[in-house]
Amino acid sequence: MRTEDLIHFCAPGRLIIGNGSRHQLPQLLARLGYRSGVLVTDAFFAEKTPWVKEYTEAAERLGISTIIYAGGLPDPTTGLCDEATAVLRDQLAGKQPDHVIALGGGSNIDLAKALTLTLPQGRPIAEFAGDIGGCRPLPLIALPTTSGTGSEATPGAILLDPANATKIAVMDNALRPQIALIDPEFTYTCPPRVTADAGIDAFTHAIESFLTLDSALFERAGNPDPGYSGRSPLTMLFARESMRLCFAWMERAYQQGDDTEARVGMAYASIYAALSYGTAGLNAGHGIAYAVAGQTH
């Protein structure tokens, strides 16, 4: 504890971690009163895995209808979000969904976050860049399929603006998922390159948030509900454990994709890093990446 700390810690409304935990999601959503949803994913997960069909059939039996959008792409653009908004609003035919589910890596989760803002009124996502202006997004449920981006626990959606090839952020604590469900079984078939890239991402999140400005020094610009608010012993606790887990399990997960213990270890490393940087913020590495990644993907 440090008496000068100014802690403003935010996390998903519910955090669920465990092998096979995806199977309890329909019952949980029914218990919470959800009845009409949109599931955002990509063609691979919709067509090559049983996960989407398993969920929609189980949800349907409990009275929850779901529209599938499988047009997710790596590094989603503002244009893709606006196109998806138009397609989904046409399918919804004036009906308002009461939740959005994201299944996939950080790109699919970021697209779903953006859609929670654009679906209600059909407004272009560019209108929400930087600050969502008090808008209330649809509740989001995030199911990450990689161990790295941490988007399931953070207040931002990162999109590529094709006009200037730069990544932009749509930020607000209201964009944090109401439910973050981490089922390590989703990651068991991740190819080695994706496993490595995602693991390094998690490790970088932990390092940067561990070394960022202290909460007492972090500039909040008078915002009473900042998305990022600097490091504290609380965020550093998560970052430290994430780094330890990355050292213990990342190489094994990369070299032996069927090593379930390593996969679970990296799932925890990723969410712990996200719980750290999702409040503390990051550092120069990610700041530079907004411009670089827009050019290099």
Side-chain angles (χ1 to χ4, degrees), residues 31-75:
R31 178 182 175 87
L32 295 175
Y34 294 123
R35 290 294 178 266
S36 174
V38 170
L39 193 155
V40 179
T41 188
D42 56 47
F44 175 81
F45 293 118
E47 299 169 8
K48 304 296 185 182
T49 76
W51 300 330
V52 173
K53 184 178 181 182
E54 285 176 353
Y55 168 76
T56 55
E57 290 181 350
E60 187 69 34
R61 289 194 292 270
L62 295 173
I64 303 171
S65 62
T66 310
I67 291 176
I68 308 301
Y69 179 79
L73 295 170
D75 292 331

Side-chain angles (χ1 to χ4, degrees), residues 133-209:
C135 179
R136 177 169 292 185
L138 297 168
L140 176 66
I141 295 91
L143 284 66
T145 58
T146 62
S147 296
T149 70
S151 186
E152 69 276 6
T154 64
I158 310 301
L159 302 172
L160 181 65
D161 183 358
N164 55 21
T166 300
K167 288 193 172 185
I168 65 168
V170 180
M171 298 284 295
D172 197 277
N173 281 322
L175 290 175
R176 295 181 193 267
Q178 294 299 304
I179 301 171
L181 189 151
I182 291 87
D183 186 339
E185 291 180 2
F186 282 140
T187 70
Y188 285 4
T189 56
C190 267
R193 175 60 188 269
V194 175
T195 299
D197 286 350
I200 291 295
D201 199 18
F203 191 43
T204 304
H205 291 153
I207 293 172
E208 290 188 29
S209 61

Side-chain angles (χ1 to χ4, degrees), residues 7-12 15 17 153 176 202-211 230-246 265-280:
I7 295 176
H8 190 91
F9 188 84
C10 298
L15 177 58
I17 308 174
R176 295 181 193 267
F203 191 43
T204 304
H205 291 153
I207 293 172
E208 290 188 29
S209 61
F210 191 80
L211 298 175
R231 71 175 186 174
S232 69
L234 179 59
T235 65
M236 293 169 76
L237 180 154
F238 285 113
R240 188 180 294 110
E241 180 65 3
S242 174
M243 288 186 278
R244 186 189 71 80
L245 291 169
C246 285
M266 284 309 299
Y268 275 94
S270 176
I271 187 61
Y272 287 164
L275 290 171
S276 178
Y277 93 84
T279 285

